[in-house]
Amino acid sequence: MGQAGAQTVTKWVYAFGGGSADGDAGMRDLLGGKGANLAEMSALGLPVPPGFTLSTEVCTAYYDNDRAYPDGLDQQVADALKELEAKSDKKFGDPANPLLVSVRSGARASMPGMMDTVLNLGLNDETAEGLANLSGDRRFALDSYRRFIQMFSDVVLGVKHEHLEALMEDYKEENDLVADTDLSADDWAEIINLYKAEVRKRLGRDFPTDPNEQLWAAISAVFKSWMNDRAITYRNLHDIPAEWGTAVNVQAMVFGNMGEDSATGVAFTRNPSTGERKLYGEFLINAQGEDVVAGIRTPQSLTKEAREERKDNSPSLEEAMPETYKELLAVFDQLERHYRDMQDIEFTVEKSRLWMLQTRNGKRTAKAAFKIAVDMAREELISQDEAVLRVDPGQLDQLLHPTLDPDGPRDLLSKGLPASPGAAVGEVVFSSEDAQKISREGRPVILVRPVTTPEDIHGMHVSQAIVTSQGGMTSHAAVVARGMGTPCVCGAGDIRIDVKAGVFKAAGREVKAGEIITVDGATGEVFLGEVAMIEPELTGDFAILMAWADEARRLGVRANAETPSDVRTAKSFGAEGIGLCRTEHMFFDAERISKMREMILSKDEAGRRAALDKLLPFQRADFEEIFTIMEDRPCTIRLLDPPLHEFLPHTEEDVAEVAEATGLPRDALMQRASELHEENPMLGHRGCRLAITYPEIYEMQARAIFEAQAAVQKATGVMPLVEIMIPLVGFASELALLRSKIDAVAAALSKETGFSPEYLVGTMIELPRAAVRADEIATHADFFSFGTNDLTQTTLGLSRDDSARFMSAYVDGGLIERDPFQTLDKSGVGDLIRLAAARGRTVKSGLKLGICGEHGGDPSSVDFCDEVGLDYVSCSPYRLPIARLSAAQASLRARK
Amino acid sequence: MGQAGAQTVTKWVYAFGGGSADGDAGMRDLLGGKGANLAEMSALGLPVPPGFTLSTEVCTAYYDNDRAYPDGLDQQVADALKELEAKSDKKFGDPANPLLVSVRSGARASMPGMMDTVLNLGLNDETAEGLANLSGDRRFALDSYRRFIQMFSDVVLGVKHEHLEALMEDYKEENDLVADTDLSADDWAEIINLYKAEVRKRLGRDFPTDPNEQLWAAISAVFKSWMNDRAITYRNLHDIPAEWGTAVNVQAMVFGNMGEDSATGVAFTRNPSTGERKLYGEFLINAQGEDVVAGIRTPQSLTKEAREERKDNSPSLEEAMPETYKELLAVFDQLERHYRDMQDIEFTVEKSRLWMLQTRNGKRTAKAAFKIAVDMAREELISQDEAVLRVDPGQLDQLLHPTLDPDGPRDLLSKGLPASPGAAVGEVVFSSEDAQKISREGRPVILVRPVTTPEDIHGMHVSQAIVTSQGGMTSHAAVVARGMGTPCVCGAGDIRIDVKAGVFKAAGREVKAGEIITVDGATGEVFLGEVAMIEPELTGDFAILMAWADEARRLGVRANAETPSDVRTAKSFGAEGIGLCRTEHMFFDAERISKMREMILSKDEAGRRAALDKLLPFQRADFEEIFTIMEDRPCTIRLLDPPLHEFLPHTEEDVAEVAEATGLPRDALMQRASELHEENPMLGHRGCRLAITYPEIYEMQARAIFEAQAAVQKATGVMPLVEIMIPLVGFASELALLRSKIDAVAAALSKETGFSPEYLVGTMIELPRAAVRADEIATHADFFSFGTNDLTQTTLGLSRDDSARFMSAYVDGGLIERDPFQTLDKSGVGDLIRLAAARGRTVKSGLKLGICGEHGGDPSSVDFCDEVGLDYVSCSPYRLPIARLSAAQASLRARK
């Protein structure tokens, strides 16, 4: 594989930039992800800063050959460097016009643990002065130089950055300087000398000044980092073969801070908040890219229209650099046509010359995603099916939840930038740690920070909304929040945050951690207290795209619901049936639970039957209501599932209260609760096991269902489609026995009243044993519904209630990709589902299969359900549109 | 299948008895189990009471033909009846010499729920008088007649026995009679009239007096019962096809109570307690079979020798009926030669004529089983391999536990018959309910009863020993106890039991329920309090047969042990290695647990490491001791498994105590315990999950293991074979990460000391996910050990701690065959093991596979382990011989 022979010359180095490239996006295996993308942009003729890629084959050859480079590599790099100098009009190591480069690793798959980036390589005392002259900013040049020494020393020379940073801190202290911005050019020059002395002391040799020596040292550092411990561990965990190797990208640096004819900016080809087809972005004159993103200087608009809307006085790019603006517009058009999607772009203008640093599909809000998809389909840029595939179902959540009621009373605290739409209410927290802690207790939180950094990601994930006092629409907080679909207000400058004191001041008030605020990300407003919400309207682009999705999907979509209000919501959100009606939820109402307790305290079957007789009318009425709403759509009713102790009070106080309220004897309550106590209730006396010991419970429920069916059929003329579901079956014998008892109830009713109930009897598959013995179980079942919540708990031996405390160590450590309670563990739990579906259908080819765990509303899990041939998914009502869209995408992908 | 065509005549009826038979033991499908066995005995020329069998094809034809009998059946039954009359020298319905018959169902598989038996069919007013004349016992004749009416009315006519029994109770009350034995012949005559009147009243017709009508009604009742609800449910639960049908057996009754030349008895061809080759049994002159078994009259010995040993004055059968005795000896010889096993026989002598009622392989004690198997192999009756197959490994338990120390002080209460050997200590209980209740709480019990009946089986199962004040060596208690291997003393006549008061009196003392007694079933002695025990000696026949077994088996056998004493016991019981050394058991010692708690209370890694450093020397010393004992046999060491809260006190009292004792702060203890509380600890933060969050724990353990290995290697020159086992792995990534950490410890030690540890790293397979993803996991594992305790809990979603309260409903209701925690659930859990073994070996063909759940000592589970190709089983030390024998039997069966 690419070993250089004596005769054939292997190509090790691939150039890009200057309107052409040796590679393209398809050469990912050879050039790595980053190299292939740079080649692709160059090949499009875009003004990409030129450079070259050392292929992954170099890495492989290096390790195959006992860490020696293949013959000819030297020369190819030298040639590529020469070409790069020509394309960039600069010279490597030339103080008059120095070419500086970045060196980056780039494997096939993005992989942490490896050496990442060295910037500004090529700087030394002479070229730094050259950069100072060219930029007219000696401080910038020396700051860049000291940063380069720090970075290079750390990742290439192995002198840990702490050592150099300590020197800088000492220097600052000695000279009464606080922030980095307090340091002058001369200060940086001093520090550079201190750095160089320290490197000499630690390594016994000088910091390399020869750019070529710097370049080869950096290249070698990348290749060596492929075999460092962290990278090896990561590859082991993710089954990435060591033979893949990494590529190395060397690219010319360009600078947006070379004077008033230089600039840097970011742009979206369409509005990422609303989806409107309008250029959207920001830039800064004479600035570096990080200045825009960091949110320290307030950036200017790209277009005159946007500037006027924002009532901003600083000129827009359209006004300040009309030629560059036109060039940029042309590039944007080209990019949208090429990538056929909205682009998120970084660009730099160096001395009036435009450079494209990066383009990628832009993140957008759900609303924007619908608009862009529908618009692009209408523009015939993409097909209707592609439009359906363009919206990320995971994002839909934000569209499907309430927004602020415009008529609700409100108490404005502050107004910032509308960085990510949506409304939310929650407790104020000032740190990501508090956000995680309080949200784990089930309380909604709103993270309030001066700015956010990548360290805040976990806290942002669990927050209902994010508020920052600094930063713009493309600040870290804004970009990340839009991606997550979390409401966000940025740059709310009149909010003064004292993180340490746990308080912020705004509009003359003090708001403490723990107080409730409301955030409207669509307007940028922050209110004190809770503001009323209204239901979302699901019309317009949303309705159009969902209709296209419904045309495309194969999977049916049902809802998990039992209250009439949820059942109605489910119907309005497109539920084609009820997939899981949890009957125990009907027993917790005050009047009912006392009868339930009476049943549990009964000493014998007769006593239990008497109590159940009192519960029957309630259940029957519930079912009548559900059947009436759902009309001719099927309703899957799960019989009693939780252990009986869930219905009893447990603490002495609760027992006393219940005894008082119900007249049930206190001692009996206490004793029964203690009798029923279980070490592992998840694996205890519940589900169908209750009915094996107390068959009268399911008999009552079956009767209530059948009597309701009779009543609704009589009242409406529509025969309700009833599917009775037995939970926690592990043995075919359980289902056989309970089915016969349900049949007996139906037969008795038919004898008594002449009404013959029509129904299916099926089972949850939620135990590994049920999955394995699905063939036997299928002989007694009309349908299976995979209860993936419990199936995940049992297959993984993982309690949902108890796993939070160590699950983050698994996700953060890369041991698992995603929380298996949110996204189905396809290779573990999924394998059992696949097995059960196959074994069940071996016995009954037409066996109806569904899923009713919460995974039924998770896009990647729905995809899996489609793949293994389930008939429907069932999820909570608010997630129905997610399920519908996910199902459509699964069908479309499967067709490809 | 056997449908009668017009031309061919189908044989529906098969005769047996009188020295020949139409069928044999191989015709089980056609004749049912019972019919086939009767045919076999007849064909051997044994004096079996003659009869005939209506084949299962009659049943099938009956149902195929809309409940009508096939043509020709009438005639075939009439012919068979004639033949029967001839063979028995009696006539059906003839008052002078009436032939009475029994009618019994008999399907292929024994099946409850069906009509079982009608005895004495053929009785009416006239034949009853005939029987009275013939037997010279009118009371017996009329008692038999009223029993027949009761039984026939109940199971054939559908008049529930309660109705007739109520009449009898009323009669007794009116006439001041208490026990059935108080009733005279005339009383029975009165009651018979009452019965007949009641039947007439309820059915509107007379009780049938025509023997032929009685016969056909009984036959029809058997065939109809094949389709009753209970039978259908049973078949559904056990996958028995309805097409199998049942047979009906009609057999002549014989009577052992026809005068002094009649008798009835039971016998074993060898001694079932000791295995000695001596005739063993009891009989009664002029009695019915049930009189012997019921233990009401004290039976006589069969041989003169036995009578003399028992110092009994009543003559033996050898003395009383020398001709019959000789005949019986010849039959016994023939039976042992034919069945090649010790036989358990029921016989009756009717007017000097010997009839064999039943023969079957006799139940025996474990000791007898070894002796009989070894003797028979030496007699060349069976081969060495057959001998190995002859001992039930499940019985071995009784040989492997301690017996009474002859020098231990003791306080004798009573001496009865030594009905089943073995010694035991436990609390006195007087009912099976109490036995079950208290044993469920983990307390050993001894069941003390006047006699036992089949209703006591459950109580007997859970008791350590059984004591009865009545009954002989073949009483119910004695036979059942021997079969179970439970020590038993019968007929301890000087014990006076007052079940109601919960007390027994013996030797002038009163012993209450709950007091401790000791039973020696080998001597028949019962002692007050606990008597010291000594270890069993495993020599003689046991050692010979175990050596044969070890020659035969393929599976390796290891032990679950960690204390030096258990490890030594394991070695002496033949452990070829340690399969599970539970390191957490080493942390519970007082000195160690305080350090463990210190570790758990530490706020950071440094604190934990400091506490672990203190634990290390203890662990290292433990391992040194184990390695030294086990020499060159492999030791599998499982790293810490239980959740940390198991090491903390929980109640306020315990916390206070621990705080006092250890100086650890009380609040911190309380808070940490509450932080660590889990809803479902079984599915919580335990096993390898502990090491994902606190890697330093496993690092300490690995270091202790390696340092111990170095020390033992240096001291003894033998390199310990170390296998490190990671528990609760669900994801390959867990094993990959932890393996790398163990390797790092080994590398560090090697660098420090120059000693290079040698070890394997493997994992428990105890989660369904691990089984499913065994291929991925195997890439990082040198071995798998199936942890079937937890794998059963997770696969079945069944908590071992919580399932006791409903598991009996499952076993009793026939929903499952056996408690899955005792015998491996082969079709559920076993299917996952099979899958895991196959997937693991796809990746690594030589992957070592073992099992270390408690199933490793269960015979049927060991058989499964052999079948799926595991390399070894591991079990508790005392169960090692069971595992060795089971493994040998599995190999021998597999070879067939």
Side-chain angles (χ1 to χ4, degrees), chain A residues 59-378:
Chain A
C59 188
T60 311
Y62 176 78
Y63 282 106
D64 284 353
N65 201 20
D66 208 11
R67 306 207 174 199
Y69 290 115
D71 293 340
L73 180 67
D74 270 29
Q75 193 52 51
Q76 291 190 22
V77 169
D79 293 348
L81 198 58
K82 232 172 232 133
E83 194 186 328
L84 175 52
E85 289 175 334
K87 282 179 187 164
S88 62
D89 267 339
K90 296 177 184 175
K91 246 184 110 65
F92 202 45
D94 179 1
N97 186 22
L99 168 65
L100 304 182
V101 298
S102 62
V103 177
R104 291 182 169 95
S105 67
R108 266 200 238 183
S110 141
M111 214 184 87
M114 290 183 56
M115 196 203 93
D116 186 23
T117 304
V118 175
L119 296 177
N120 291 323
L121 188 141
L123 280 176
N124 52 30
D125 292 353
E126 292 74 33
T127 52
E129 285 305 327
L131 184 61
N133 295 336
L134 282 168
S135 65
D137 186 347
R138 187 161 171 263
R139 189 185 176 283
F140 152 71
L142 292 177
D143 186 16
S144 301
Y145 188 19
R146 70 94 193 171
R147 284 174 196 260
F148 164 63
I149 296 176
Q150 253 176 262
M151 208 182 279
F152 189 91
S153 298
D154 187 29
V155 301
V156 179
L157 301 179
V159 175
K160 291 282 149 236
H161 57 92
E162 299 95 73
H163 300 309
L164 300 189
E165 277 162 12
L167 292 174
M168 182 162 76
E169 293 306 317
D170 290 349
Y171 181 90
K172 282 197 218 166
E173 207 167 305
E174 280 163 28
N175 295 279
D176 279 338
L177 301 164
V178 181
D180 285 6
T181 44
D182 297 339
L183 277 73
S184 68
D186 289 341
D187 290 325
W188 288 131
E190 282 296 318
I191 286 173
I192 286 165
N193 286 329
L194 291 172
Y195 280 4
K196 290 201 281 195
E198 181 74 14
V199 168
R200 193 178 313 122
K201 196 183 95 193
R202 292 196 168 264
L203 299 182
R205 55 189 159 88
D206 284 330
F207 186 88
T209 54
D210 174 8
N212 253 303
E213 190 187 340
Q214 292 174 357
L215 179 64
W216 278 102
I219 290 171
S220 293
V222 173
F223 286 135
K224 280 178 188 148
S225 71
W226 179 250
M227 284 296 177
N228 74 25
D229 289 348
R230 272 191 69 201
I232 290 171
T233 302
Y234 184 89
R235 284 200 297 273
N236 279 344
L237 291 178
H238 295 84
D239 286 327
I240 298 175
E243 302 78 57
W244 280 11
T246 182
V248 178
N249 299 294
V250 177
Q251 189 178 23
M253 301 283 304
V254 294
F255 296 95
N257 57 346
M258 289 287 194
E260 293 303 311
D261 57 351
S262 298
T264 191
V266 297
F268 292 88
T269 55
R270 303 190 185 212
N271 185 314
S273 268
T274 63
E276 280 175 302
R277 197 180 179 184
K278 275 184 185 172
L279 192 60
Y280 179 94
E282 294 166 328
F283 81 108
L284 282 169
I285 295 218
N286 197 13
Q288 282 185 286
E290 59 191 61
D291 299 333
V292 181
V293 183
I296 294 164
R297 281 165 62 187
T298 300
Q300 299 150 249
S301 300
L302 291 184
T303 63
K304 187 160 169 271
E305 185 186 346
R307 178 182 66 74
E308 285 163 356
E309 263 177 29
R310 276 172 65 178
K311 293 178 189 129
D312 191 352
N313 291 326
S314 326
S316 66
L317 185 71
E318 187 175 4
E319 293 157 309
M321 296 181 171
E323 285 309 306
T324 303
Y325 177 73
K326 264 187 223 154
E327 202 182 336
L328 206 54
L329 283 187
V331 167
F332 290 176
D333 263 6
Q334 188 185 0
L335 285 172
E336 267 212 356
R337 280 198 314 275
H338 180 72
Y339 289 105
R340 303 167 68 243
D341 199 354
M342 185 264 270
Q343 294 298 298
D344 170 359
I345 290 155
E346 289 177 27
F347 64 91
T348 281
V349 184
E350 189 186 81
K351 296 181 180 295
S352 301
R353 186 164 175 186
L354 176 67
W355 294 106
M356 304 301 300
L357 300 186
Q358 187 169 58
T359 188
R360 54 187 170 190
N361 293 342
K363 289 190 193 307
R364 63 206 77 179
T365 63
K367 189 176 167 196
F370 277 101
K371 177 151 184 63
I372 291 171
V374 171
D375 283 354
M376 284 191 170
R378 285 178 172 157

Side-chain angles (χ1 to χ4, degrees), chain A residues 677 679-683 689 733-734 769 772-773 795-797 799 802 805 810 815 825 827 831 839, chain B residues 677 679-683 689 733-734 769 772-773 795-797 799 802 805 810 815 825 827 831 839:
Chain A
H677 170 79
E679 289 299 314
N680 293 289
M682 170 66 211
L683 310 176
R689 296 165 189 170
S733 56
E734 294 169 321
R769 192 184 198 284
V772 165
R773 291 273 56 93
T795 302
L796 273 57
S799 164
D802 302 314
R805 75 183 64 155
Y810 273 75
L815 286 120
D825 161 35
S827 64
D831 205 56
R839 290 193 176 175
Chain B
H677 170 80
E679 289 299 314
N680 293 289
M682 169 66 210
L683 310 176
R689 296 164 189 171
S733 57
E734 294 169 321
R769 192 184 198 283
V772 165
R773 289 274 58 93
T795 303
L796 274 57
S799 164
D802 303 314
R805 73 185 64 157
Y810 274 74
L815 284 115
D825 162 35
S827 64
D831 206 55
R839 289 193 177 175

Side-chain angles (χ1 to χ4, degrees), chain B residues 344-362:
Chain B
D344 169 1
I345 289 154
E346 289 177 28
F347 64 90
T348 281
V349 183
E350 190 187 80
K351 294 182 180 294
S352 301
R353 187 163 175 186
L354 177 68
W355 294 106
M356 304 302 299
L357 300 186
Q358 187 169 56
T359 187
R360 54 188 169 188
N361 293 342

Side-chain angles (χ1 to χ4, degrees), chain B residues 118-316:
Chain B
V118 175
L119 296 178
N120 292 325
L121 188 141
L123 281 176
N124 53 28
D125 292 353
E126 291 74 33
T127 54
E129 285 305 329
L131 183 63
N133 294 338
L134 282 169
S135 65
D137 186 347
R138 186 159 174 267
R139 187 183 175 284
F140 153 70
L142 292 176
D143 185 16
S144 301
Y145 187 20
R146 72 93 193 172
R147 283 171 195 263
F148 165 64
I149 295 176
Q150 251 175 261
M151 209 183 280
F152 189 93
S153 298
D154 186 30
V155 301
V156 178
L157 301 179
V159 176
K160 290 283 148 239
H161 59 93
E162 299 93 77
H163 300 311
L164 300 190
E165 276 161 13
L167 292 174
M168 180 163 80
E169 291 307 316
D170 289 350
Y171 181 89
K172 281 197 219 166
E173 203 168 311
E174 279 165 26
N175 295 279
D176 279 335
L177 300 165
V178 179
D180 283 8
T181 43
D182 297 341
L183 276 74
S184 67
D186 288 343
D187 291 326
W188 289 129
E190 282 296 319
I191 287 173
I192 286 165
N193 285 331
L194 292 171
Y195 279 6
K196 290 200 282 198
E198 181 73 14
V199 168
R200 193 180 310 117
K201 196 182 96 192
R202 292 195 166 264
L203 298 181
R205 54 187 161 88
D206 284 331
F207 186 88
T209 54
D210 175 6
N212 254 305
E213 190 186 340
Q214 290 175 355
L215 179 64
W216 279 102
I219 290 171
S220 293
V222 172
F223 286 135
K224 278 177 189 154
S225 73
W226 179 250
M227 284 295 178
N228 74 24
D229 289 348
R230 271 190 69 200
I232 290 171
T233 301
Y234 184 88
R235 285 200 296 273
N236 280 343
L237 291 179
H238 294 85
D239 285 329
I240 297 174
E243 301 79 57
W244 279 9
T246 183
V248 179
N249 298 294
V250 178
Q251 188 178 21
M253 301 283 306
V254 293
F255 295 95
N257 56 346
M258 287 289 194
E260 293 303 310
D261 57 352
S262 297
T264 191
V266 297
F268 291 88
T269 54
R270 306 194 182 208
N271 185 312
S273 267
T274 64
E276 281 176 301
R277 198 178 179 183
K278 276 183 186 173
L279 193 60
Y280 180 93
E282 294 166 328
F283 80 107
L284 281 169
I285 297 222
N286 197 12
Q288 282 187 286
E290 60 192 58
D291 298 334
V292 182
V293 182
I296 293 164
R297 280 165 63 187
T298 299
Q300 297 151 247
S301 299
L302 290 184
T303 63
K304 186 159 169 270
E305 186 186 346
R307 176 181 68 73
E308 286 165 355
E309 263 176 31
R310 275 171 66 177
K311 292 176 189 132
D312 192 353
N313 291 327
S314 328
S316 65

Side-chain angles (χ1 to χ4, degrees), chain A residues 595-671:
Chain A
K595 294 180 176 51
M596 192 68 188
R597 286 169 174 159
E598 201 181 310
M599 194 274 287
I600 296 169
L601 292 181
S602 299
K603 291 219 167 37
D604 54 19
E605 188 183 323
R608 285 192 298 273
R609 285 198 186 274
L612 287 165
D613 282 349
K614 295 181 205 162
L615 280 165
L616 190 143
F618 292 106
Q619 285 250 302
R620 186 178 52 217
D622 290 334
F623 294 136
E624 281 182 34
E625 201 163 357
I626 292 171
F627 295 160
T628 306
I629 297 168
M630 290 307 287
E631 297 170 309
D632 60 350
R633 306 185 195 190
C635 296
T636 307
I637 296 164
R638 181 179 71 185
L639 302 185
L640 192 70
D641 184 48
L644 296 182
H645 52 75
E646 281 197 11
F647 298 96
L648 293 185
H650 287 94
T651 64
E652 290 206 23
E653 293 86 23
D654 289 353
V655 167
E657 199 177 301
V658 167
E660 182 100 1
T662 59
L664 291 168
R666 189 180 155 145
D667 286 353
L669 267 172
M670 200 72 195
Q671 198 201 321

Side-chain angles (χ1 to χ4, degrees), chain B residues 633-694:
Chain B
R633 307 184 194 189
C635 297
T636 307
I637 296 163
R638 181 179 69 184
L639 302 185
L640 191 72
D641 184 48
L644 296 182
H645 52 75
E646 283 198 8
F647 298 96
L648 293 186
H650 287 92
T651 64
E652 289 205 26
E653 292 87 21
D654 290 352
V655 168
E657 199 177 303
V658 168
E660 181 103 3
T662 60
L664 292 169
R666 189 178 156 146
D667 286 355
L669 268 171
M670 201 71 195
Q671 198 201 320
R672 191 78 177 117
S674 112
E675 275 170 22
L676 291 178
H677 170 80
E678 294 184 311
E679 289 299 314
N680 293 289
M682 169 66 210
L683 310 176
H685 194 186
R686 50 173 287 242
C688 70
R689 296 164 189 171
L690 293 170
I692 299 296
T693 47
Y694 309 123

